[in-house]
Amino acid sequence: MAPNKRKKPVTALAHKPSATASANITRQTIRRYHVLLKEKARLLKGGSSSVSTRLDDIEREMKELGGLEGYQEMSVIGQSKERGGGSEKALVEWLKELGHGMTQSNGSMQHETVDLLEVGALHPGNYARWSKWIHSMPIDLHSRHPDIKEQDFLKLDPVENDGKWDVISLSLVLNFASMPFDRGKMLSLAHGCLKGTGSSYLFLVLPLPCVMNSRFLTPEHLNSLMNAIGFDLVKEKWRPGGKVAYWLWRKKGRPDRKGGAFTKKRVLHEGSSRNNFTILWDGS
Ligand SMILES: C[S@@+](CC[C@H](N)C(=O)[O-])C[C@H]1O[C@@H](n2cnc3c(N)ncnc32)[C@H](O)[C@@H]1O
């Protein structure tokens, strides 16, 4: 019998790798999965029948990497190793700084509840510790638990969710979307799903290189785009050389401006070592 040359899924390694090796495998798997997702989206958009062999190869490799489940497993490992946990701590800290959460008043504890839509949830209980005042609804493309609703955020019913949420968390979700316009659509959709202007927030987390080392995106450009969609920056957190960046944006009225300035990629930084991450928005 011919030897089986197929690679085993990285998620099914027989021997437990060392901590450094496993961190490298985690990072490589996540990166490779993103590359394949992007190529798949590009080929599907092109619609040519001649690409079907390549699409089959992509599907096979994604399966070998463990599919979306394997990707999520790697993300869980990456989350605990590289960030010391999920991003929820950063969000809750900021919400408290803004006066939300439990407060002492007339000798008794008071709280206003915060309705949170957590997009891209790997665990159902990320906000369980704060359940007295944060009512969260975790959703994901692929649910890993009965309490996580399996739902594509891009296909969320906009009427049912119109003005429904106090906070929406998009933590490491935008960079999963392969098409730049889908990323802009997520931001705009979040704007519509948030409650009134002034006191509802979008929590955004991206890998730091998406904004610090991209040809097409800088922190200033992200800020202009968010302003155009209808958000003001309230808080941000990242450190040079860090892995991720966190932002909290407050919903404001949508400015009377079309998204024309954000429909095309524009080189903002030259350099062969830069990546091509960007967010495009057509104004809708
Ligand atoms: C890298 S994990 C991030 C998980 C977690 N939010 C964090 O910050 O560590 C990305 C998750 O987002 C989910 N996701 C990506 N696009 C999505 C979409 N359009 N709707 C819902 N979930 C999505 C993926 O299935 C995956 O579980």
Side-chain angles (χ1 to χ4, degrees):
M1 204 204 288
N4 183 359
K5 287 191 184 156
R6 288 239 174 123
K7 274 183 274 165
K8 288 224 168 64
V10 213
T11 46
L13 290 174
H15 304 288
K16 206 165 176 250
S18 71
T20 326
S22 91
N24 283 339
I25 292 171
T26 306
R27 232 172 285 131
Q28 281 166 15
T29 309
I30 290 176
R31 249 185 241 146
R32 184 69 190 148
Y33 200 82
H34 282 170
V35 168
L36 292 169
L37 271 177
K38 208 167 151 192
E39 189 180 352
K40 181 178 165 186
R42 193 167 41 77
L43 292 175
L44 286 173
K45 196 174 167 224
S48 154
S49 57
S50 64
V51 299
S52 71
T53 321
R54 179 63 196 136
L55 275 173
D56 288 347
D57 287 347
I58 291 174
E59 289 293 352
R60 204 189 55 242
E61 192 180 339
M62 285 171 108
K63 217 162 154 193
E64 285 171 350
L65 290 172
L68 182 50
E69 270 174 67
Y71 169 87
Q72 288 182 318
E73 202 52 50
M74 291 292 149
S75 300
V76 171
I77 298 169
Q79 190 182 69
S80 54
K81 284 218 165 87
E82 295 187 344
R83 289 189 281 155
S87 45
E88 60 277 359
K89 276 184 279 172
L91 172 58
V92 172
E93 204 173 288
W94 280 343
L95 288 176
K96 284 183 180 169
E97 282 171 22
L98 290 163
H100 296 277
M102 309 295 284
T103 49
Q104 187 90 33
S105 171
N106 297 332
S108 64
M109 293 303 274
Q110 307 275 315
H111 61 85
E112 259 177 41
T113 54
V114 168
D115 291 323
L116 163 75
L117 178 65
E118 185 192 5
V119 184
L122 296 172
H123 299 288
N126 286 333
Y127 291 89
R129 265 187 288 167
W130 304 282
S131 62
K132 280 212 171 87
W133 60 280
I134 298 184
H135 295 171
S136 80
M137 177 155 105
I139 66 168
D140 201 288
L141 278 183
H142 172 258
S143 168
R144 292 159 43 91
H145 188 278
D147 291 343
I148 299 173
K149 186 178 177 196
E150 193 153 296
Q151 168 75 52
D152 182 345
F153 179 57
L154 285 167
K155 295 189 181 147
L156 202 68
D157 185 335
V159 177
E160 202 181 293
N161 286 277
D162 186 39
K164 181 170 175 179
W165 303 98
D166 293 301
V167 180
I168 295 181
S169 163
L170 288 173
S171 171
L172 298 180
V173 172
L174 243 63
N175 53 307
F176 184 97
S178 308
M179 308 306 278
F181 274 110
D182 279 348
R183 298 175 190 143
K185 195 172 161 197
M186 281 185 176
L187 297 172
S188 171
L189 190 59
H191 186 272
C193 293
L194 284 169
K195 286 184 187 168
T197 57
S199 59
S200 47
Y201 303 95
L202 171 63
F203 178 59
L204 181 66
V205 183
L206 284 173
L208 192 60
C210 289
V211 280
M212 293 303 170
N213 195 33
S214 166
R215 237 167 243 115
F216 305 113
L217 192 63
T218 59
E220 296 73 30
H221 190 73
L222 176 66
N223 201 43
S224 310
L225 168 71
M226 294 302 280
N227 287 167
I229 293 176
F231 291 105
D232 278 332
L233 182 61
V234 183
K235 307 257 182 198
E236 70 180 318
K237 188 167 100 171
W238 54 271
R239 57 176 177 77
K243 295 264 185 279
V244 287
Y246 306 84
W247 296 268
L248 192 68
W249 309 87
R250 183 185 282 122
K251 176 172 175 167
K252 60 173 183 171
R254 189 168 276 183
D256 191 15
R257 200 158 18 132
K258 296 266 177 265
F262 304 98
T263 53
K264 286 203 171 69
K265 284 182 186 177
R266 209 158 39 90
V267 176
L268 302 169
H269 277 306
E270 300 280 1
S272 58
S273 63
R274 293 194 178 269
N275 65 65
N276 292 323
F277 185 85
T278 193
I279 304 171
L280 297 178
W281 181 57
D282 62 7
S284 61

